[in-house]
Amino acid sequence: NNKCSLLKFKDWLSIQSKLNKTYTCVAHNGANFDHYLFVNNFTENDLLNSETQLRNLSIIGFCYKNHIFRDSCCFLTDSLDNLCKSYLTTEDEKMYAKLTDIKIGDKSYTNKQLCFYKPELTFNEFLELEQKEPEFWTEYVKYCEYDCISLSFVWTKFQKMMNGAIGDVGSYISGR
C-alpha cells in the first residue's frame, strides 16, 4: 500500500539486475502511453543512467538497469487487434486474441470503452472498483491479461520470422 505497482516493478527490476538477470519488456504503442508511465516515475539518477531512444517526442525505447523496453508498434505498425488476426493462427493462440467485445452483465463494451471506463475516477478510486464493481474488475483484468498474452504471441512469431529472413539473407550472401 505504500508504493504503487510501478515503483514495486522498478524495485524488482533493480533486484533482478543485481542478480544478473535482465528482461526485454515490449509494449504495443508504448511510445504514447506505457513508456511515459514508467519514465514518469524515474528519479533524476534513473534518467541520467538510462539510455532513452526518442522519435520526436515519443519514447520508442529505453534501457533501465540493463532491462530493455521496446515499442512493438515501431516494427508492427497496425492495431494489436489486426495483428492478432494476422499472426495468431492456431486455436490455442486464437483463444488469447485481443478482446474487443467485452460483456459485463447485459452490456457490451469495446476495448476502448473498457479502458476509459468512468474516466472521472482518480487512480485510487479506479482501483477501488475491484471491491465496488467486481464483475467489471474481473473482465478488466482478463482484458489486460489477454492483451499481454496476445502481444507476446504476436511478438514471438514476428521475431522468429525476422530471424528466419535474416538467416536466409545471410545464407544467400555467403553462398555467392
Side-chain angles (χ1 to χ4, degrees), residues 72-91:
S72 56
C73 224
C74 292
F75 307 94
L76 299 161
T77 57
D78 205 344
S79 70
L80 185 54
D81 181 33
N82 286 338
L83 292 170
C84 286
K85 290 173 185 166
S86 298
Y87 280 82
L88 307 186
T89 54
T90 70
E91 288 308 311

Side-chain angles (χ1 to χ4, degrees), residues 4-5 7 13-14 19 22 30 35 55-56 60 63 94 107 115 122 130 144 146 151 159-160 164 166-168 175:
C4 72
S5 57
L7 292 177
L13 289 173
S14 295
L19 297 171
T22 58
H35 293 168
R55 181 182 334 142
N56 297 321
I60 60 172
C63 185
K94 288 179 183 179
K107 271 188 100 174
C115 288
T122 66
E130 182 177 9
C144 293
Y146 277 46
L151 177 57
Q159 283 183 302
K160 285 180 183 175
I166 291 168
D168 291 347

Side-chain angles (χ1 to χ4, degrees), residues 22-46:
T22 58
Y23 299 91
T24 299
C25 302
V26 180
H28 198 67
N29 206 17
N32 293 322
F33 183 70
D34 303 280
H35 293 168
Y36 279 99
L37 274 175
F38 195 84
V39 172
N40 188 49
N41 285 280
F42 272 11
T43 63
E44 186 176 341
N45 190 48
D46 291 335

Side-chain angles (χ1 to χ4, degrees), residues 159-174:
Q159 283 183 302
K160 285 180 183 175
M161 290 169 48
M162 288 304 297
N163 288 337
I166 291 168
D168 291 347
V169 169
S171 296
Y172 175 77
I173 291 172
S174 65

Side-chain angles (χ1 to χ4, degrees), residues 79-81 84 88 96-101 111 143 146-147 150:
S79 70
L80 185 54
D81 181 33
C84 286
L88 307 186
Y96 292 102
K98 182 172 181 64
L99 298 176
T100 55
D101 184 33
N111 53 353
Y143 166 80
Y146 277 46
D147 218 37
S150 62

